[in-house]
Amino acid sequence: MDPATACASHRKRKRYVGQQGIASVDDDDDALAVFRFHESRGGVRALVESGVTTVPPLFLAPTTPAVSSAAMNFVVPSVDLSLPRSDAVALVRAAARSSGIFQVTNHGVPAATVDSALSVVRAFNEQPFAARSPFYSVSPIGAVTYATIPIPRPRDGQPVTTPLLSWRDSLILRFDHPGDPDLRNLPAACRDSLLEYHRSLTRLGKEIAGLLLEGLGVGAERLEQIDGFLMQCHYHPPCPEPERALGSREHTDGDLFTVVSQDGVGGLQVRLDSGEWVDVAPVAGTLLVNIGDFLKVVSNDEYKSVEHRVVIKSAQEPRVSIALFFNPAKHGRSDFFGPLPELVTEEKPARYRSLSWQQMLNNRIALGHAKPSALDQFRVTLN
């Protein structure tokens, strides 16, 4: 429904009602602008197709993202998975402790599988508006969601200092949805390639989970079953003013770890301990692994979760990436986790209290784009 029509037909109720939600006329201008954008059902790609020459206000970054000179010296740790297991464990442990991110080589996932998945994500986003817009939905309505995902706004009184939307359209797949476990709603043109990618990456993820747990000195099966239930396929369209838009907000992931594939365009950055942002350049044939907050807690701060973001690099080429998030199979509201008892000692007591994954997720949403860290409220105060 056209937003203007929606407004007229519901004027007495003082609401804008559309297919993507409801906005009150008492909301601020930004909220109404976001509402109208989603009602268009075209995503950021439609803005590019319309011929925009400047970045709309909803996407404007408050400052130009800068990369420090340290980028010239930063090298992402690399782990060759064909090495003897003890050697691979040592490399994974060192990378997870020092950087919170590493790349894997000789990982067993065929290059054709990765290339096909990245290609179909790009193809889906670049098909005609009429073909992709029926899938557009801001609110998850099943196992498959396609939308420009809003940046969460703080709920705790913190000021909004970031764009309301990232310069990015996303195809999000949930493999644990009870109503669609086989992802029947996944667009046919994507289905085979993305399902095969998920199968291959799930096998790899289980291997990486074992290496990470052995690196902590516990058994590879210590956390029971670990699966990749959430897969986010991101498409960053070319941007007329790359330096003025944000590809994604700075954040840490809330899972155990994430496995990421990306094309050659680049744009992923991580924050060093010094606070400086550095580029993570794409390397052909590798996959990236970054540690999430869940594993940071479980490891009792032995491993670090890496803060990262995406900046837009090109006015001509889109960027495509796929992130598969791994968590224990049991991560419901009643499933609590905390530092593994084996990692709690008198010299290093528990750094976090017991919490559920849902509690952590709710806290991240409440903080929106604000600081402090999403884990701070769960920390144990040490005397």
Side-chain angles (χ1 to χ4, degrees), residues 14-146:
K14 294 185 178 181
R15 294 190 300 176
Y16 293 87
V17 180
Q19 293 176 327
Q20 299 303 310
I22 298 173
S24 168
V25 295
D26 295 324
D27 287 344
D28 58 35
D29 291 342
D30 286 341
L32 294 178
V34 170
F35 171 82
R36 293 188 176 104
F37 171 82
H38 289 312
E39 280 299 292
S40 73
R41 300 174 66 90
V44 182
R45 174 68 185 177
L47 294 177
V48 176
E49 292 170 335
S50 72
V52 294
T53 57
T54 60
V55 174
L58 289 176
F59 301 88
L60 285 176
T63 58
T64 300
V67 181
S68 79
S69 58
M72 300 299 294
N73 302 317
F74 178 72
V75 177
V76 176
S78 185
V79 178
D80 183 346
L81 295 184
S82 69
L83 291 172
R85 190 169 184 86
S86 60
D87 294 340
V89 167
L91 289 171
V92 165
R93 178 174 60 244
R97 284 177 168 174
S98 64
S99 303
I101 185 171
F102 55 93
Q103 63 187 15
V104 291
T105 62
N106 293 313
H107 43 67
V109 179
T113 297
V114 176
D115 292 343
S116 177
L118 292 171
S119 294
V120 299
V121 171
R122 176 170 178 169
F124 171 82
N125 284 274
E126 294 181 354
Q127 63 186 328
F129 171 85
R132 69 178 189 272
S133 64
F135 295 98
Y136 194 96
S137 176
V138 178
S139 300
I141 55 175
V144 180
T145 302
Y146 162 62

Side-chain angles (χ1 to χ4, degrees), residues 249-296:
R249 64 190 177 101
E250 56 193 57
H251 64 285
T252 56
D253 290 342
D255 59 347
L256 282 169
F257 61 91
T258 311
V259 182
V260 180
S261 62
Q262 57 179 334
D263 62 16
V265 173
L268 177 64
Q269 296 181 341
V270 298
R271 193 196 291 270
L272 302 180
D273 290 339
S274 63
E276 297 172 303
W277 287 98
V278 295
D279 286 328
V280 178
V283 178
T286 68
L287 293 168
L288 287 169
V289 179
N290 62 266
I291 307 302
D293 286 346
F294 198 133
L295 187 52
K296 179 179 171 67

Side-chain angles (χ1 to χ4, degrees), residues 113 117 173 175 192-204 227-231 324 326:
T113 297
L173 314 180
F175 291 86
D192 289 346
S193 292
L194 291 183
L195 292 182
E196 176 57 32
Y197 178 89
H198 180 260
R199 284 190 290 268
S200 295
L201 267 290
T202 297
R203 288 192 293 269
L204 173 63
D227 282 304
F229 293 118
L230 175 66
M231 192 161 84
L324 183 58
F326 286 86

Side-chain angles (χ1 to χ4, degrees), residues 160-227:
V160 178
T161 59
T162 62
L164 297 179
L165 295 168
S166 296
W167 192 264
R168 180 185 74 185
D169 297 327
S170 300
L171 182 64
I172 300 176
L173 314 180
R174 298 201 66 95
F175 291 86
D176 60 346
H177 194 282
D180 188 14
D182 300 321
L183 276 74
R184 293 182 299 273
N185 292 329
L186 184 61
C190 301
R191 185 177 295 113
D192 289 346
S193 292
L194 291 183
L195 292 182
E196 176 57 32
Y197 178 89
H198 180 260
R199 284 190 290 268
S200 295
L201 267 290
T202 297
R203 288 192 293 269
L204 173 63
K206 292 179 184 296
E207 179 181 359
I208 291 172
L211 295 171
L212 285 164
L213 289 169
E214 288 182 36
L216 292 172
V218 300
E221 302 300 322
R222 181 62 178 80
L223 292 180
E224 301 180 355
Q225 185 178 355
I226 293 173
D227 282 304

